[in-house]
Amino acid sequence: MCSGMSIKSKSFYTIILLTISVSMSIIPFVGLSHADEKKEVEDPKRKELQELMKKIDTHYKEAQERMGYYNLSESDWDTYVKAGEVISKLSDRVRKEFAPPDDEEYLKLTKEMKKHADDIHKSASERYLGAYEDIQYSFGRLRNSCKNCHNHLGIQIYTELYPGEAPPE
């Protein structure tokens, strides 16, 4: 500022400069809040897929809790039957309705997921000698197909399905 300016002029210019500075610093935040509003409006397909994945995860966890039991109750067998059936149906739906265009790896991995879930369902339904070992084997293969697909898509299961929650230890 010029040394020949009056104090009133200097004050006026100081106020103008402060106003401009504050305005310039607020503009990016205003833009961010508008972007956040857009972000909150989620894609309905993504929300639907997220709900399907939660259902798969729920049945997966119910079956996983019974791994290692050797005296299976009727309820345990029923859990494996239901988990295999539900995961198979949902993996088929996920593959058909949500496959990224021309993503052969995704199609391959979701087909594997369905196959292993079908194997769990079949073994648990038939309850033949060695069925439990086959369920354990298929469950491990199912776990790997899920992990491989999540890695392929860059999905972190807990942060995607359960935002704000820490993964179980």
Side-chain angles (χ1 to χ4, degrees):
M1 293 186 208
C2 298
S3 57
M5 291 178 127
S6 71
I7 293 181
K8 269 187 169 177
S9 297
K10 287 182 183 178
S11 298
F12 176 74
Y13 284 113
T14 303
I15 291 171
I16 295 294
L17 287 175
L18 281 173
T19 304
I20 292 171
S21 297
V22 169
S23 298
M24 294 303 285
S25 64
I26 291 176
I27 288 173
F29 293 116
V30 172
L32 283 178
S33 66
H34 184 64
D36 288 342
E37 288 174 20
K38 286 182 181 178
K39 201 175 195 180
E40 287 178 19
V41 178
E42 261 190 59
D43 177 18
K45 277 293 229 193
R46 180 181 166 93
K47 184 79 173 157
E48 183 181 359
L49 178 59
Q50 193 173 30
E51 289 303 314
L52 292 175
M53 296 305 288
K54 279 185 182 181
K55 289 178 185 174
I56 290 171
D57 192 50
T58 298
H59 288 281
Y60 174 89
K61 286 177 183 172
E62 287 175 5
Q64 183 180 31
E65 287 174 2
R66 287 158 174 77
M67 285 293 139
Y69 291 11
Y70 286 96
N71 292 322
L72 297 179
S73 68
E74 191 66 29
S75 173
D76 295 329
W77 285 106
D78 290 345
T79 297
Y80 290 128
V81 169
K82 177 119 175 133
E85 179 182 20
V86 170
I87 293 171
S88 174
K89 285 179 183 175
L90 292 176
S91 63
D92 200 34
R93 185 171 169 204
V94 164
R95 184 180 76 252
K96 290 176 180 174
E97 294 179 25
F98 299 95
D102 302 323
D103 190 341
E104 294 300 319
E105 184 68 10
Y106 177 87
L107 295 173
K108 180 186 131 218
L109 292 167
T110 52
K111 283 179 187 175
E112 284 178 16
M113 183 179 167
K114 178 177 176 27
K115 181 206 178 306
H116 300 309
D118 286 340
D119 291 346
I120 292 169
H121 180 262
K122 180 181 186 292
S123 298
S125 295
E126 294 177 7
R127 299 180 193 181
Y128 52 84
L129 184 62
Y132 181 61
E133 288 77 9
D134 288 347
I135 290 169
Q136 288 178 313
Y137 175 78
S138 295
F139 193 80
R141 301 288 301 215
L142 173 66
R143 180 184 307 114
N144 285 338
S145 65
C146 293
K147 176 194 71 72
N148 292 338
C149 191
H150 295 168
N151 288 344
H152 171 68
L153 296 174
I155 295 172
Q156 296 297 315
I157 187 81
Y158 284 96
T159 56
E160 295 287 327
L161 293 182
Y162 310 105
E165 293 182 29
E169 294 180 18

